[in-house]
Amino acid sequence: SATFAREVPGLRVVASDRERGRVPALTERLADEQTIAVGRLLVTAHSVPGHTLGSAVFQISSSAAPAAPHAAFTGDTLFCGGCGRLFEGSSLQLHASLRRLRTRLAPNCQVFSGHEYADMLLTMAVRSDPSNLAALRKLRQVRDLRLRKQPSVPSTMAEECSFNPWMKATPLDLARLCGCEM
């Protein structure tokens, strides 16, 4: 962001108000559920500690078409079929963050994760629970897309809630999935 800020005078560089010292050229800190306008787009921050204490999901909607499906840029908090590793937060914090996203983001909200890990994470989900047919269907879809050199992103919140083991886990299950203490 520092390079962009030098190249684009007046550029707004936004991060969670909990993020400390990791975002070069930061110009604005957004609190949980704070919304800013960027042209006709509305950007709402959702604080989701877990991966890091400053993790945030940015939900994008349109002031011109409020009924249109929203998009959520989830970074390393939520991937298709999984979640990011816990570096700073606890499994209890991650559980609360995922529960918050299930409550706040509509089922048709498109989820854009920070990495393309869908094949690996869905393979793990199916191996750990062969009865997770929704994960198996999504894994087949992802493999077909990747075979055609297409991205598997985005998924939707409805999909994630149907097959993502992290979205369905208890705090104790999350601790096991993360390989950490509660």
Side-chain angles (χ1 to χ4, degrees):
S1 61
T3 303
F4 286 125
R6 280 192 303 274
E7 298 293 322
V8 183
L11 179 69
R12 293 167 77 180
V13 180
V14 180
S16 162
D17 65 350
R18 294 176 158 203
E19 200 58 74
R20 299 286 176 236
R22 291 193 183 133
V23 182
L26 181 66
T27 61
E28 294 179 60
R29 294 182 185 278
L30 296 184
D32 187 42
E33 294 194 272
Q34 183 178 348
T35 300
I36 61 170
V38 180
R40 291 165 54 183
L41 297 178
L42 301 174
V43 180
T44 302
H46 299 282
S47 178
V48 289
H51 177 66
T52 66
L53 295 178
S55 290
V57 166
F58 295 98
Q59 179 182 355
I60 313 299
S61 60
S62 169
S63 61
H70 296 187
F73 292 86
T74 60
D76 287 358
T77 295
L78 178 61
F79 298 126
C80 179
C83 288
R85 181 177 170 199
L86 296 180
F87 287 112
E88 298 173 351
S90 69
S91 61
L92 288 172
Q93 287 173 311
L94 180 60
H95 184 266
S97 293
L98 295 176
R99 187 175 65 237
R100 193 174 309 114
L101 290 179
R102 285 193 305 266
T103 303
R104 292 181 182 176
L105 301 179
N108 67 344
C109 181
Q110 297 180 333
V111 175
F112 292 87
S113 59
H115 301 280
E116 176 66 82
Y117 294 155
D119 190 309
M120 175 190 68
L121 292 168
L122 290 166
T123 297
M124 290 169 45
V126 170
R127 282 186 186 148
S128 68
D129 180 8
S131 67
N132 188 342
L133 298 180
L136 181 60
R137 279 191 297 277
K138 185 66 176 183
L139 177 59
R140 288 178 178 150
Q141 178 187 26
V142 163
R143 286 184 173 162
D144 179 59
L145 287 167
R146 301 305 295 148
L147 192 62
R148 293 184 284 127
K149 306 229 185 284
Q150 300 282 323
S152 66
V153 174
S155 61
T156 66
M157 280 302 291
E159 287 180 306
E160 294 303 324
C161 290
S162 75
F163 59 65
N164 188 327
W166 300 67
M167 293 296 284
K168 300 191 239 184
T170 66
L172 183 58
D173 293 334
L174 277 178
R176 281 191 217 118
L177 284 166
C178 298
C180 65
E181 300 291 320
M182 273 189 34

